[in-house]
Amino acid sequence: MRTAEIKRKTNETDVSIKLNVDACNQIKVSTGSGFLDHMLDLFAHHAGYGLIVKCNGDTYVDMHHSVEDTGIALGQALSNALGEKKGINRYGCICLPMDETLVSVALDISGRSLLNFDVEFPSEYKVGDLDVELVEEFFLGFVRNAGVTLHITKRYGKNVHHIVEAIFKGFGRALGQATAINVNRKDVLPSTKGVL
């Protein structure tokens, strides 16, 4: 089983994450934001992962530190869980519809951290209890610690809830594809360089 447990404690947040890449055995998320909890629950479900997240943060300031540090810890957990990365598909890509919204997510578990977040929200907006500008911050924290190249593009969409939900569902689907083991190449590192 490819699993990891991360604890990250700063003066602003106290985050713990348990990740199981191979079995959707349990999903339980508590970040201080009901909407982020919902998005991470959707992400784990669509990736096929077990995920337990607990974040206690300085939410009396705002959600910024909690969202960013949760992304950082999730990136660290994924990197640790994948280990040598032998046998993974490496790439994942999906074009995901959510009612009037269409979002594409493509990623490469390359060892190189990059985020292309090509998403314009209709206006400065809060969805539930989450400022939508923090969605990008979450993914920046994730890619910088996971060593993943991630492209998220909103093709179209008007409803902000649908846009963010499509992003997290698409992220889950694409990451689930990329981390799945290719049974025909389970002992092969998917790189001609010999390293990821």
Side-chain angles (χ1 to χ4, degrees):
M1 284 277 184
R2 295 174 295 167
T3 62
E5 185 171 348
I6 294 292
K7 293 187 184 298
R8 174 182 169 82
K9 187 172 176 62
T10 72
N11 290 333
E12 299 163 341
T13 63
D14 186 355
V15 183
S16 65
I17 289 187
K18 291 182 182 178
L19 177 67
N20 187 334
V21 173
D22 291 317
C24 191
N25 51 347
Q26 186 178 12
I27 301 171
K28 187 175 180 183
V29 182
S30 178
T31 64
S33 163
F35 188 75
L36 183 60
D37 292 353
H38 180 45
M39 293 302 102
L40 290 174
D41 182 81
L42 292 170
F43 152 74
H45 178 81
H46 284 272
Y49 293 170
L51 180 65
I52 300 173
V53 178
K54 179 67 178 169
C55 176
N56 291 310
D58 56 357
T59 56
Y60 60 89
V61 175
D62 67 6
M63 283 302 303
H64 188 112
H65 300 136
S66 294
V67 172
E68 182 180 30
D69 286 7
T70 299
I72 288 169
L74 181 61
Q76 292 171 344
L78 181 76
S79 181
N80 289 358
L82 293 182
E84 293 181 339
K85 303 180 183 77
K86 284 186 178 177
I88 64 169
N89 286 323
R90 178 177 168 178
Y91 298 98
C93 181
I94 189 162
C95 197
L96 193 131
M98 178 75 190
D99 295 342
E100 88 298 343
T101 294
L102 189 66
V103 168
S104 66
V105 179
L107 60 87
D108 175 12
I109 302 173
S110 60
R112 297 183 302 277
S113 302
L114 182 135
L115 175 65
N116 178 43
F117 192 79
D118 187 12
V119 178
E120 187 176 325
F121 293 106
S123 61
E124 286 186 24
Y125 198 81
K126 211 172 209 174
V127 59
D129 55 3
L130 188 71
D131 293 313
V132 291
E133 68 177 10
L134 296 180
V135 174
E136 185 173 5
E137 292 301 319
F138 172 85
F139 287 108
L140 279 169
F142 172 80
V143 300
R144 288 173 178 159
N145 290 272
V148 168
T149 297
L150 175 61
H151 294 261
I152 300 173
T153 305
K154 182 188 83 171
R155 303 292 183 87
Y156 40 82
K158 295 178 181 177
N159 183 295
V160 178
H161 187 125
H162 293 166
I163 294 166
V164 178
E165 186 165 332
I167 289 169
F168 276 89
K169 285 179 174 177
F171 175 55
R173 289 281 170 166
L175 196 58
Q177 288 173 18
T179 56
I181 297 295
N182 182 334
V183 294
N184 297 319
R185 296 172 59 83
K186 62 184 178 180
D187 295 319
V188 177
L189 189 71
S191 171
T192 56
K193 294 178 181 178
V195 65
L196 284 176

